[in-house]
Amino acid sequence: MNYPDNKLNRRSFLKVSALAGGGMILSFNWLAGCKPNSSEILDMPKEWFRLNGYIKIGENGLITIMSPNPEGGQNVKTSMPMIVAEELDAVWKNVRVEQAPLDTENFTRQFIGGSQAIRIGWNALRTAGATARQLLINAAADQWKVPASEISTDSGFLIHIQSGKRAHFGEMASLAATLPIPGNVELKKVDQFKIIGTSQKNVDIQKIITGKPLFGIDYKKEGTLIAMIIHPPSFGMKLKSFDASEASKMPGIRGVFEIKSLRDDYVRTFFDTVTFTDLIAVVGTSTWEVLNAKKAIQAEYEPISAYVEKRDRFGSEESRIVPAGQENTESQAEKMRVASLKPQELRRDGNPEEAFKKASKVIEKTYTGPFLAHNCMEPMNFFAHVQGDKVECAGPLQKPELTEQALSVRLGIPVENIHIEMTRLGGGYGRRSYAHWLIEAAVISQKLNAPIKLIYTREDDMTSGIYRSRYQATYRAALDENNQLIGIHINAGGLPENPIYPDRFPAGAVENYLAEGWEVPSNITTGSFRAPRSNFMAAAEQSFLDEVAEVAGKDPIEFRLELLEKAKKNPVGKNNDYDPARYAEVIKLAREKSDWATNKEGIAKGFSAYFCHNSYAAQVLELKMENGQPLIEKVVSAVDCGIVVNPDAAKNLCEGAVVDGIGTALFGELTFEEGKPSKSNFDQYRMIRMKEAPKIIETYFVDNQIDPTGLGEPAYPPVFAALANSLYQGTGQRFYEQPFFKQLEI
């Protein structure tokens, strides 16, 4: 049987024309390419057979694979099904991919965050594919009356060599679906992979480029009302009263009322992070009508009192002090300075005090990083329809299972009666881990007994959190008379979170090492931001090591490799959380591919490397200065994330991380005045522009057979310091304070 082909016949859109002087010209018929004739349109199977939660096979051989985790641009909706298809031994062109709904019975850990999707799903996805393959083999064995061990598969076919029998998967799918699940299945060896390691197009690409409904903001259902919220204008304040008499009379307005997203007695879990729980909800028939009604509401607010917030952090209880008051950027800095004087010891190796006492040279530098807003391109939104004890939801979120549990408690409706459809995220970066807007939408729907689409304006999102914490780190290095590094002391903290990872490099590579941390309580809402904490610590650590290398008279890359060699041969301490050999390998790859040793006239080079989220990344950034402004010519990234499932997608992810990191390092900043964020939209919060992005980005991967270790975040942190170090080479000035534009005056 011939498989269906989803590629258009090239003759339908290519045209060859003869030239008068000889030769030919090849042209494209885009109209024909966009409108294939009926014979080229794929026919879906008349009947599907489900083999497990991930796979269903049609009677004609077409295969649908469910992608379990939310898609936020990291391409898991393509890469995860590729893993399943590999072990199934399918032909990728005959695979269709669907976004799975939240289904805790068939799938585990349906979330994105921490670069965990592929890493955690690797074995489960492979097992699902291999199990389905074995079911098909068993079905063929039953039908052909031969031992299953004699049957092989190849590109969607079942083959019995001895008898010459052959059948495509669709012919055995109905029988396979009735058979018992095999207890043990054999997974492929890496050298047997046909799909994994090949570049496949994003399965949603056509919908993306043609503007088809795909994102949560696109979700529509007949009779849906539009809802928006009004939150207090500043942190440290809460709703006291409001007058909606005028707004309620406006055209299209169906209701203006107070809602409470979380009950006061609710013990929050890790991702139930939100400051403003008492809100004004405005509901109407259109976005424009609701926006106008919001402006007509007169609200009064009052200061909060300090309180202690209790949380269930994945089974362990923790408490957090939430102070009263409206915070200012200047007063925050003073509180951080005072807190840094009384840190908590997190790790100690050797005798750091003695090392600094005997040192011939001591280098000390302090680095700071501001609050940052996520600024996802798609505004926060969610659809919710509560009908009695049934809930239907749809929209973009990163931790659907955890959000579902919180929603169940808030509405008093069993989890099994809640259905969440996951849409593509128009940006996440941690922001959509805290899906309080879904709970708000559901509470509004329950009150009005109507389907609701809740939409945040850009101003709503940027001024009500969640933000990256504000950080500070002071590094000290002790060098002996031979310029050898004999001691490191790190004092780091934040408002409200301590960013330090005490067991990361250069821990383990320095005989005398001290890591200390501290925190300053705040009522400003903070949470995960792409590569949490690492995005700051990498910038500080790698900028500092560059400066230490210079004082020691060593090449920046050689200096790091020397330290890693020490950590490999004679590691200090027992809890070092990195592999020095893998770390060194990725640095060497970056050095080779960037041609580090070759100097180019007018070009400044900066290097950085970092380990986080189980993977390693190293980067070399080249820039030139023109009229006092940096023009970034090239960034070379080397990454070790284990086996790369989809190389093109992996490169795209790393390129995005580089551009995102450069923009944040140059411009990202949110300050506060009397508890109010200083910026509320893109006209104030500066984002990177096309002319400021690197002209060239090259990405290389360490070729090994280690199981995937994560990629969404590791390529992001190093670029901050790669930029800072190249700016130093180009300007002669070190950069200690983010954003860098303050020093450059861009």
Side-chain angles (χ1 to χ4, degrees):
M1 173 182 176
N2 291 326
Y3 277 114
D5 192 344
N6 63 352
K7 294 182 180 178
L8 298 175
N9 186 320
R10 62 181 178 179
R11 287 175 293 182
S12 67
F13 62 92
L14 292 179
K15 182 180 180 182
V16 178
S17 305
L19 294 173
M24 67 178 186
I25 184 169
L26 188 68
S27 61
F28 291 85
N29 182 347
W30 292 114
L31 186 60
C34 294
K35 296 183 179 180
N37 61 53
S38 59
S39 66
E40 294 165 340
I41 297 176
L42 286 176
D43 291 326
M44 297 300 286
K46 296 178 181 178
E47 192 170 2
W48 288 100
F49 304 98
R50 183 174 290 278
L51 272 64
N52 55 44
Y54 293 87
I55 302 168
K56 58 182 181 179
I57 299 178
E59 39 79 25
N60 68 345
L62 202 63
I63 299 169
T64 290
I65 299 179
M66 309 301 290
S67 183
N69 289 39
E71 173 61 62
Q74 77 281 44
N75 213 44
V76 293
K77 192 175 177 180
T78 303
S79 299
M80 296 184 96
M82 285 174 65
I83 299 170
V84 178
E86 179 66 74
E87 293 292 350
L88 179 60
D89 211 3
V91 178
W92 181 250
K93 69 178 181 179
N94 297 319
V95 170
R96 301 295 177 270
V97 175
E98 292 182 6
Q99 177 66 62
L102 179 62
D103 182 353
T104 55
E105 290 187 11
N106 285 304
F107 307 113
T108 58
R109 303 192 73 174
Q110 283 181 272
F111 72 85
I112 53 173
S115 300
Q116 295 293 294
I118 298 296
R119 177 175 177 263
I120 297 298
W122 177 247
N123 286 325
L125 293 163
R126 294 182 70 190
T127 301
T131 300
R133 176 176 173 271
Q134 189 61 51
L135 282 170
L136 291 165
I137 289 174
N138 293 345
D142 282 358
Q143 187 162 314
W144 294 338
K145 307 303 180 186
V146 299
S149 60
E150 293 182 0
I151 297 175
S152 60
T153 60
D154 182 31
S155 302
F157 278 89
L158 294 150
I159 302 166
H160 185 244
I161 296 175
Q162 292 87 333
S163 65
K165 291 182 178 179
R166 179 183 177 92
H168 65 75
F169 286 173
E171 294 177 83
M172 296 294 173
S174 61
L175 177 56
T178 66
L179 298 179
I181 302 297
N184 294 303
V185 293
E186 185 177 349
L187 301 180
K188 287 184 178 182
K189 296 179 181 178
V190 174
D191 60 7
Q192 296 175 311
F193 288 165
K194 300 175 183 177
I195 297 174
I196 293 174
T198 66
S199 292
Q200 303 298 336
K201 292 181 180 178
N202 187 317
V203 295
D204 282 336
I205 191 65
Q206 185 179 16
K207 291 182 178 179
I208 293 171
I209 63 177
T210 57
K212 297 288 179 62
L214 185 65
F215 299 90
I217 201 75
D218 299 322
Y219 194 90
K220 295 179 181 178
K221 203 163 187 178
E222 188 175 351
T224 299
L225 298 175
I226 300 298
M228 292 186 178
I229 56 98
I230 301 175
H231 63 267
S234 63
F235 289 87
M237 301 292 285
K238 64 180 181 179
L239 179 65
K240 181 179 181 180
S241 62
F242 66 95
D243 180 0
S245 55
E246 291 300 318
S248 299
K249 300 174 186 176
M250 297 177 71
I253 299 304
R254 298 294 182 85
V256 181
F257 46 86
E258 182 179 352
I259 64 167
K260 195 172 192 66
S261 58
L262 297 176
R263 298 197 308 261
D264 292 334
D265 62 350
Y266 174 62
V267 177
R268 302 186 184 196
T269 61
F270 184 74
F271 289 105
D272 293 323
T273 300
V274 60
T275 292
F276 303 120
T277 57
D278 297 327
L279 307 163
I280 302 170
V282 186
V283 185
T285 56
S286 73
T287 303
W288 181 248
E289 289 167 334
V290 174
L291 281 170
N292 285 327
K294 283 180 67 176
K295 299 174 185 177
I297 295 172
Q298 302 296 317
E300 187 177 355
Y301 300 92
E302 61 184 353
I304 66 168
S305 300
Y307 62 95
V308 175
E309 182 181 274
K310 292 185 178 180
R311 285 178 175 268
D312 178 354
R313 186 183 175 94
F314 305 111
S316 63
E317 184 178 301
E318 67 175 15
S319 298
R320 181 176 79 96
I321 298 173
V322 181
Q326 294 170 272
E327 299 179 21
N328 294 296
T329 295
E330 292 76 14
S331 60
Q332 289 170 348
E334 176 59 19
K335 290 178 181 178
M336 293 172 74
R337 185 193 68 79
V338 172
S340 70
L341 301 176
K342 297 181 179 180
Q344 176 185 358
E345 184 175 300
L346 303 176
R347 172 167 170 159
R348 173 184 288 270
D349 294 324
N351 190 336
E353 289 83 1
E354 187 67 18
F356 278 93
K357 185 177 180 180
K358 293 181 177 179
S360 296
K361 297 175 184 176
V362 173
I363 306 109
E364 179 174 336
K365 302 297 176 183
T366 297
Y367 303 84
T368 62
F371 286 105
L372 296 173
H374 291 82
N375 291 330
C376 306
M377 192 56 64
E378 178 193 20
M380 302 301 112
N381 68 91
F382 229 89
F383 169 86
H385 192 189
V386 181
Q387 302 176 78
D389 65 347
K390 303 287 186 182
V391 184
E392 178 186 358
C393 302
L397 71 166
Q398 293 182 231
K399 310 292 188 296
E401 183 175 351
L402 301 178
T403 304
E404 182 183 59
Q405 294 166 8
L407 183 61
S408 173
V409 173
R410 178 61 184 85
L411 298 180
I413 295 175
V415 167
E416 55 267 25
N417 290 356
I418 299 175
H419 174 79
I420 297 180
E421 180 179 339
M422 295 182 288
T423 63
R424 188 180 183 93
L425 286 67
Y429 321 112
R431 176 66 179 99
R432 297 188 203 270
S433 297
Y434 311 95
H436 50 87
W437 59 90
L438 164 55
I439 297 176
E440 294 160 10
V443 169
I444 295 170
S445 176
Q446 188 178 52
K447 182 177 179 64
L448 293 182
N449 192 29
I452 293 295
K453 179 68 170 291
L454 178 68
I455 301 174
Y456 273 36
T457 64
R458 179 67 56 192
E459 290 81 2
D460 290 333
D461 187 39
M462 199 178 291
T463 60
S464 66
I466 312 286
Y467 311 111
R468 187 196 77 168
S469 297
R470 182 177 179 180
Y471 296 128
Q472 175 180 302
T474 297
Y475 278 77
R476 297 171 66 225
L479 301 178
D480 65 13
E481 64 276 8
N482 297 315
N483 283 330
Q484 296 298 307
L485 180 64
I486 59 173
I488 284 282
H489 174 205
I490 309 170
N491 177 304
L495 188 146
E497 175 189 61
N498 169 18
I500 195 169
Y501 291 92
D503 298 325
R504 287 192 182 168
F505 182 78
V510 183
E511 184 177 352
N512 303 292
Y513 174 86
L514 176 62
E516 299 177 310
W518 46 270
E519 295 178 347
V520 176
S522 173
N523 57 41
I524 293 173
T525 319
T526 60
S528 298
F529 190 100
R530 191 174 191 175
R533 298 189 285 163
S534 296
N535 53 53
F536 171 74
M537 291 305 295
E541 170 201 293
Q542 291 293 306
S543 295
F544 183 68
L545 289 180
D546 218 65
E547 194 159 353
V548 175
E550 182 182 45
V551 173
K554 297 182 178 181
D555 174 81
I557 291 181
E558 285 300 324
F559 177 66
R560 289 167 173 85
L561 289 175
E562 287 176 11
L563 291 175
L564 287 167
E565 188 66 16
K566 291 179 181 178
K568 178 182 176 181
K569 290 184 176 179
N570 189 24
V572 179
K574 299 179 180 180
N575 299 318
N576 307 320
D577 63 1
Y578 62 94
D579 181 336
R582 288 183 70 186
Y583 208 148
E585 192 66 25
V586 80
I587 290 176
K588 292 175 183 176
L589 182 60
R591 178 176 63 180
E592 173 196 343
K593 296 299 183 181
S594 68
D595 195 15
W596 172 258
T598 301
N599 294 319
K600 303 176 185 178
E601 186 176 353
I603 296 294
K605 290 184 180 180
F607 173 80
S608 178
Y610 198 69
F611 161 78
C612 72
H613 295 85
N614 307 291
S615 293
Y616 304 78
Q619 293 165 347
V620 174
L621 186 147
E622 298 181 3
L623 62 78
K624 61 182 179 181
M625 300 299 296
E626 287 191 3
N627 300 319
Q629 307 303 312
L631 297 179
I632 301 174
E633 297 291 309
K634 186 177 182 180
V635 176
V636 174
S637 289
V639 179
D640 179 359
C641 59
I643 294 170
V644 178
V645 176
N646 189 343
D648 275 1
K651 287 181 180 179
N652 291 342
L653 199 54
C654 294
E655 289 171 1
V658 166
V659 175
D660 189 14
I662 290 172
T664 302
L666 284 173
F667 308 114
E669 180 187 40
L670 194 67
T671 58
F672 290 83
E673 185 175 347
E674 298 300 320
K676 184 178 181 179
S678 59
K679 301 166 185 176
S680 61
N681 212 319
F682 291 135
D683 62 327
Q684 303 161 320
Y685 196 100
R686 180 79 153 78
M687 305 290 285
I688 192 170
R689 295 166 184 165
M690 292 183 70
K691 66 179 181 179
E692 293 154 348
K695 293 180 180 178
I696 299 172
I697 302 177
E698 295 179 0
T699 305
Y700 302 92
F701 296 97
V702 174
D703 186 11
N704 57 36
Q705 296 187 2
I706 298 172
D707 287 354
T709 54
L711 186 57
E713 286 152 300
Y716 182 68
V719 77
F720 288 73
L723 175 60
N725 293 335
S726 61
L727 282 171
Y728 167 68
Q729 296 298 328
T731 66
Q733 295 178 299
R734 291 285 181 182
F735 287 72
Y736 304 107
E737 181 182 0
Q738 295 174 28
F740 300 156
F741 86 94
K742 288 184 173 180
Q743 194 166 327
L744 289 166
E745 296 183 356
I746 293 178

